[in-house]
């Protein structure tokens, strides 16, 4: 099963140094039944892109909480055994939790399939989005527009062997 773990560049550096994503429990995103129902698609690539996008939003939240982190969203795609990622059944209908899963154990970085990171030219929009998150969460439409601006940037794909160059 493919899951998408939201990080920041400092978080990616820590994972690279430790050789694993953790500590457990670890929040991630995947194609869950609720995400599949919400997205109304049977195309697995579209569904995985939706899960990746949810993880990118979670990475933005991590950036908002860490003002010292470079303003680039980071998502690590990892393959875990079926059943290793569990969705919270109590939040299945909560739109803010679509695709959200929890991993009970650390994941060796060797299980990573790819790393997705914003390009340098996204930094200004990502910084503005991270700064506007609080206001957007409280219903400010201008702030929501600013947050949505970060989503206009596609995350770039990197092989796991490229992590040292990223951090």
């Amino acid at each position: 099963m493919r899951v998408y773990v939201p990080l920041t560049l400092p978080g990616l550096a820590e994972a690279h140094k430790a050789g694993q994503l953790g500590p457990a429990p670890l929040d991630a995103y995947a194609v869950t039944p609720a995400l599949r129902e919400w997205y109304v698609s049977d195309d697995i690539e579209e569904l995985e892109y939706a899960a990746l996008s949810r993880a990118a939003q979670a990475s933005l939240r991590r950036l908002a909480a860490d003002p010292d982190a470079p303003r680039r969203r980071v998502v690590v795609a990892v393959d875990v055994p079926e059943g290793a990622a569990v969705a919270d059944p109590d939040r299945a209908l909560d739109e803010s939790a679509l695709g959200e899963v929890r991993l009970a154990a650390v994941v060796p970085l060797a299980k990573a399939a790819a790393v997705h990171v914003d390009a340098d030219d996204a930094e200004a929009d990502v910084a503005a989005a991270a700064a506007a998150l609080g206001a957007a969460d409280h219903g400010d439409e201008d702030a929501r527009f600013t947050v949505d601006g970060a989503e206009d940037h596609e995350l770039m794909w990197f092989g796991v062997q490229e992590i040292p160059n990223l951090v």
Side-chain angles (χ1 to χ4, degrees):
M1 168 181 215
R2 171 87 25 111
V3 299
Y4 300 90
V5 180
L7 294 175
T8 60
L9 282 173
L12 182 62
E14 288 176 26
H16 177 64
K17 183 178 178 182
Q20 64 187 17
L21 296 164
L26 195 61
D27 292 328
Y29 292 80
V31 178
T32 62
L35 181 74
R36 192 179 294 270
E37 183 177 323
W38 172 77
Y39 202 79
V40 191
S41 175
D42 289 329
D43 185 330
I44 192 63
E45 288 183 16
E46 287 181 20
L47 291 166
E48 286 186 350
Y49 182 78
L52 171 65
S53 296
R54 301 290 294 171
Q57 292 169 358
S59 176
L60 183 64
R61 292 198 172 280
R62 288 176 181 242
L63 289 173
D66 184 357
D68 295 330
R71 297 340 232 175
R72 293 170 69 191
R73 298 167 299 166
V74 176
V75 176
V76 178
V78 297
D79 294 317
V80 298
E82 288 294 328
V86 179
D88 183 347
D90 294 333
R91 295 191 68 200
L93 300 177
D94 181 352
E95 189 174 317
S96 68
L98 288 171
E100 193 174 275
V101 295
R102 177 143 305 151
L103 299 166
V106 299
V107 178
L109 206 50
K111 297 286 185 187
V115 180
H116 303 272
V117 182
D118 275 310
D120 292 340
D121 67 354
E123 284 190 38
D125 287 340
V126 171
L133 256 178
D137 287 347
H138 287 96
D140 183 318
E141 289 302 317
D142 290 333
R144 170 60 29 211
F145 181 78
T146 301
V147 170
D148 290 345
E151 294 177 19
D152 291 340
H153 295 276
E154 294 287 329
L155 297 178
M156 297 174 46
W157 183 96
F158 294 92
V160 177
Q161 69 277 12
E162 297 177 89
I163 291 175
N165 298 328
L166 293 169
V167 298

